Amino acid sequence: MRTDAGTGARRPREISYAQAVREALREELRRDPRVFLMGEDVGIYGGTFGVSAGLIEELGPDRILDTPISEAVLAGAAAGAALTGTRPIVEIPFSDFLSLALDQIGNQAAKMRYMFGGAVRVPLVVRSPAGSGTGAGAQHSQSQEAVFCHFPGLKVVVPSTPYDAKGLLKTAVRDDNPVVFLEQKLLYKETGPVPEEEYLVPFGKADVKRPGSDLTIVAWGRMVGMCLAAAERLESEGVSVEVLDPRTLVPLDTRAIVSSVAKTGRLLIVHEAVRTGGFGGEIAALVADSEAFPLLKAPIRRVAGFDIPVPYSPNLERNAVPTPERIEDAVRDLLVQGEKRPAGRTGSVRS
Amino acid sequence: MIDRSPGTTVAAAAAAQAARTRMGYPDSLLEDLYRRMLRIRYFEEEIHYHISRGHIHGTTHLYVGEEAIAAGAAANLSDLDYITSTHRCHGHAVAKGTALSGLAAEMFGKRAGVCGGKGGSMHLADPARGNLGGTGIVGGGLPIAVGAALSIRRLGQDRVAVCFFGDGAMNEGTFHESVNLASVWKLPVLFLCENNQYGVSTHVRRSTNVQDLSLRAAAYGIPGRKVDGMDVLAVYEAVREAKEYVKTNGPLLLVAQTYRFLGHSRSDANVYRTEEEIASWRRRDPIPRFRERLNEEGSFSEDRIEDIEEEVRREVDAAFRYARACEEPGLEDLLRDVYAD
C-alpha cells in the first residue's frame, strides 16, 4: 500500500498482469523449495512474454530451468516429478503448443490419481498464454480451455485481472492436482490493483466484476474487460448488466452463475474460444437444467469466436472473436426479447 | 528371499554375503532371481487361464517369455528406486515386489486391487514401492521416468529411475524427447528397451530401419548396450552396471532382446508369425534355461528347486483365490479420487 500525496488516502499499488504472475512465481518459489519452473526460454530470456524476467538471476538456474523445445516431455516430466516429491511449474510459450503435450496432460497427469486408485497426488501447473490479437496467425492465437475442461482430473484457470492472476497462480502451485493455467497474452501489459501483502484467490469461486440487475454476462479471460466496458456503455442507455467471471472453469462455481441468472433473468455468455464445443455451451446447459431456467425472460445467448481458425489480417483477426459491438448488440437484443417488444432497433448479430 | 528394508537392494544384500556359488553369485541371489521369474510366469499363466474363461473382463497383455528382463532388473532395485512401465506391465509390477494378492485383485476389478479396481491390466501401480505405473499409451511412460529422475536429482537422492518400454515405443516422439532431455540434464534414468520383436503384428524389421536399436543411443551422446533378454543373469549384470553408470553419468540405453511367447493381447490369433519362429524362441525360455544352470550349482538340488517352485505356486494360487473372493468396488467408489483434496 502507498499513500497518495496530499490526501493521505491509502490505495493499493497497481502492477501489470505479467508482473502479477511473476510475483506469484517468485513468492511460491521462495516459499517452497520443492517448487521449480521449467520451460522453453524461461531463464535468461525471461520467458516468451517476459513473465519470468529476472527470476533466474534471483533464484538461480537450479530453480528456473531452460529446456529444449519438447512440450511432450516437459508435461510428462512434470507429472513424473510431481509423483515423486517435487512441485513443477511448466511454461509452454503459446497455449496452441499444448496439443503437443496433450497426451501427457490429459492421458497421463489427469488420470493418474483415479487410475491408480487414489494412491498418488500430481501437483503440477502448466502455464501458457492463450488468445488472439497479436497478429501471430492461426497456430499462436487460440483459446482452448474447453479441451482441458473435458479431461476429468485437470483443473482449468483463466484469470482476467492482475489480482486474480496472482492469487489464482499461488493457489494453483499449492494445489495437489494438475492445473492448466491459461494466461491471457493480451492482458500481460494491463495494470490493476494488487495488494503488496500476501493473498490467495480460491478455486471454484466466481467473482462478480460488476453487479447489475437486467442481465448476466458470464465471461472469462480477456473477455471480462471487454464486457465490463460494454456494460459501462450500456449503463448510459439505462441497462444494468452484471458481469460474472468464474475465474476457474474446473472447478466451476455453478451456484454463483445460477443465482445471478435467477436474479437478472437473462444470460449472455461471452468467450473468445470458438463457439462450437466451447465452454459456453456447458454453462448454457447447466443454467437450462437449474432452478434459474423458469425465471429466464429471454433465451440464453452466446457471443463467441466464430468457428474458424484465427486469421492474420488485423481487421479479420479482430472480428474473428467477440467485439464490443457484438456484445452490446446481443445484450440489447436479449433485453428487447425479454420485454417482448419488437426487435429491429438493434440489428443483432448472433454469435 | 533375502530380508531387506526399503533402500536395500537384493544385489547389495547379496554382495555382502561372502559365500559364493560356482556361477560366482551368492545362492540367495540366484534363488531370488528364480523366484521372481516364476512369480511372473505363474501369475501370467493364471491370468491367461482366467481371461480365456471369461473370469476377467477387458483385455490383457501377457509378459510370458520376457520374465528375465523384469526379474533381472528389479533384483537391482530397492523400493526407493522408481520404475515406469508399459501396457505390458504385469511382469514389472510383480518383479518390483508388490504383493500378488493386490495385483490379482486388480485384474479381477476388485476394491482390494492395487488401484482399487479402477486401473486394470494396463495400469498396475504401486507408488509406495517405486512403481509409477503402467500406461496404455505406447511411449507414454518415458517422460514420466524423466520426471522421476528429475525429482531424484533435485532432492539429492541416491536412487535411479528405470524406464521400461518396448521396440514399438522407440518410434514414438516421446522416446526422442525423453532421451534427449535426460541426456542434456544427465539424469539418472536407465532406458530399458524390451525388444520383443513385434509392435502388435508388425515386426521391428518393418517398423525401424536400424535393427540394432542400441545404436540410437549415439544420437544422444549416451552409451547404448545390448543384452540377451532371455538370460536373467545377463540382464542382472547389465542392469547392475547400468545402474551405477546412470547414477553418476546420466542416462544409458539398454536394449534387451526378447520375445513374447503369447499373442499381443487377448484378441491376437498370431497370424503374423510362424509356429517355427515361436518354437525357436521357446527353446530359449529364460526359466528352464536358468533352472538348468541352478541344477549345475552344487547347492541347488532338484528337491530344493522343486520346493521353490511349489512355494511360488502356492503363493500365486493363494493370491488368485483371495482375488476372486474379495468384494467388488461399490458405486460409492465411482466418483472418488478424481481429485486430491
Side-chain angles (χ1 to χ4, degrees), chain A residues 36 62 66 68 70 72-73 76-77 80-81 84 86 103-104 107-108 112-118 120-121 153-154 177 250, chain B residues 82 115 118-119 123 125 127 132 135 137 140 143-144 147-148 150-151 154-155 177-178 181 185 334 336-341:
Chain A
F36 63 99
D62 182 47
D66 275 321
S70 295
V73 73
T84 52
T86 53
D103 175 63
Q104 292 297 324
N107 267 331
Q108 309 295 341
M112 281 171 169
R113 180 169 176 83
Y114 190 83
M115 205 160 71
F116 300 156
V120 296
R121 290 169 187 267
L154 299 179
N177 298 283
V250 181
Chain B
Y82 298 113
C115 302
K118 286 172 173 169
H123 306 299
L132 302 180
T135 175
I137 308 296
I144 312 295
L150 186 55
S151 276
R154 299 194 63 74
L155 299 170
E177 291 196 24
S178 300
L181 184 63
W185 286 351
L334 183 63
R336 223 176 251 164
D337 290 329
V338 180
Y339 294 96
D341 297 332

Side-chain angles (χ1 to χ4, degrees), chain A residues 119-179:
Chain A
V120 296
R121 290 169 187 267
V122 192
L124 68 91
V125 181
V126 178
R127 294 176 39 237
S128 199
S132 65
T134 63
Q139 296 167 342
H140 286 68
S141 303
Q142 296 167 85
S143 297
Q144 298 150 304
E145 62 272 15
V147 172
F148 299 99
C149 294
H150 212 64
F151 286 100
L154 299 179
K155 295 189 177 181
V156 181
V157 185
V158 193
S160 68
T161 66
Y163 179 92
D164 287 348
K166 181 175 179 185
L168 289 165
L169 182 54
K170 286 169 69 77
T171 300
V173 174
R174 298 177 191 198
D175 198 286
D176 276 342
N177 298 283
V179 178

Side-chain angles (χ1 to χ4, degrees), chain B:
Chain B
M1 276 298 275
I2 295 169
D3 287 332
R4 62 203 175 104
S5 55
T8 320
T9 66
V10 173
Q17 225 167 299
R20 296 254 158 184
T21 61
R22 278 184 232 169
M23 272 189 254
Y25 294 98
D27 239 35
S28 52
L29 173 66
L30 299 177
E31 184 177 331
D32 177 275
L33 291 170
Y34 192 52
R35 278 180 189 273
R36 280 186 211 251
M37 286 200 293
L38 284 179
R39 269 197 201 97
I40 301 170
R41 176 67 55 93
Y42 293 167
F43 185 87
E44 295 293 63
E45 285 173 349
E46 281 296 306
I47 297 295
H48 192 54
Y49 171 88
H50 287 291
I51 207 155
S52 55
R53 277 158 189 78
H55 301 156
I56 293 176
H57 85 152
T59 191
T60 194
H61 307 86
L62 299 174
Y63 196 68
V64 176
E66 307 184 30
E67 294 90 343
I69 303 172
N76 283 287
L77 305 177
S78 83
D79 286 353
L80 300 178
D81 294 311
Y82 298 113
I83 66 164
T84 60
S85 184
T86 69
H87 58 287
R88 198 174 303 287
C89 66
H90 308 172
H92 306 143
V94 171
K96 195 73 169 53
T98 301
L100 298 183
S101 52
L103 296 173
E106 187 61 31
M107 293 299 302
F108 281 91
K110 300 298 179 69
R111 181 186 273 149
V114 286
C115 302
K118 286 172 173 169
S121 170
M122 288 189 266
H123 306 299
L124 301 179
D126 188 356
R129 268 177 205 78
N131 181 356
L132 302 180
T135 175
I137 308 296
V138 171
L142 287 125
I144 312 295
V146 174
L150 186 55
S151 276
I152 292 171
R153 169 68 47 79
R154 299 194 63 74
L155 299 170
Q157 295 164 332
D158 180 31
R159 307 182 185 188
V160 296
V162 175
C163 176
F164 291 99
F165 62 101
D167 46 290
M170 222 181 218
N171 294 325
E172 290 280 6
T174 50
F175 170 79
H176 170 65
E177 291 196 24
S178 300
V179 180
N180 180 63
L181 184 63
S183 63
V184 167
W185 286 351
K186 303 210 179 328
L187 297 175
V189 195
L190 168 56
F191 291 102
L192 210 179
C193 176
E194 302 176 309
N195 178 7
N196 69 11
Q197 317 299 319
Y198 288 91
V200 190
S201 70
T202 305
H203 194 274
V204 68
R205 272 194 308 274
R206 297 198 295 132
S207 67
T208 310
N209 197 39
V210 176
Q211 288 308 290
D212 179 353
L213 301 182
S214 70
L215 291 179
R216 287 196 170 176
Y220 307 96
I222 64 169
R225 295 180 188 163
K226 284 177 287 189
V227 65
D228 177 2
M230 310 304 275
D231 178 346
V232 70
L233 274 172
V235 174
Y236 171 79
E237 274 304 327
V239 172
R240 191 175 61 80
E241 286 172 22
K243 182 186 164 188
E244 291 318 308
Y245 178 88
V246 304
K247 272 188 182 178
T248 43
N249 302 290
L252 181 150
L253 173 64
L254 177 63
V255 179
Q257 301 294 332
T258 187
Y259 198 77
R260 59 170 156 74
F261 292 171
L262 303 173
H264 161 72
S265 68
R266 182 183 195 167
S267 57
D268 184 349
N270 266 324
V271 293
Y272 50 88
R273 51 186 193 175
T274 62
E275 287 303 325
E276 293 73 30
E277 181 185 294
I278 298 172
S280 76
W281 278 93
R282 276 195 181 271
R283 282 193 289 278
R284 298 173 59 190
D285 189 330
I287 294 177
R289 191 173 166 188
F290 189 60
R291 193 184 197 282
E292 273 173 39
R293 292 181 70 175
L294 286 180
N295 251 322
E296 292 160 10
E297 289 289 328
S299 50
F300 284 95
S301 64
E302 182 63 22
D303 279 355
R304 181 173 170 196
I305 293 173
E306 282 175 11
D307 283 350
I308 294 170
E309 290 163 349
E310 185 51 36
E311 249 179 72
V312 176
R313 169 67 62 198
R314 280 200 300 271
E315 185 189 348
V316 172
D317 286 349
F320 278 77
R321 270 199 310 279
Y322 165 83
R324 294 197 73 180
C326 50
E327 64 175 9
E328 297 191 349
L331 292 183
E332 68 272 25
D333 298 314
L334 183 63
L335 305 181
R336 223 176 251 164
D337 290 329
V338 180
Y339 294 96
D341 297 332

Side-chain angles (χ1 to χ4, degrees), chain A residues 96-114:
Chain A
D96 311 68
F97 308 167
L98 289 170
S99 53
L100 290 162
L102 197 56
D103 175 63
Q104 292 297 324
I105 297 170
N107 267 331
Q108 309 295 341
K111 294 183 170 69
M112 281 171 169
R113 180 169 176 83
Y114 190 83

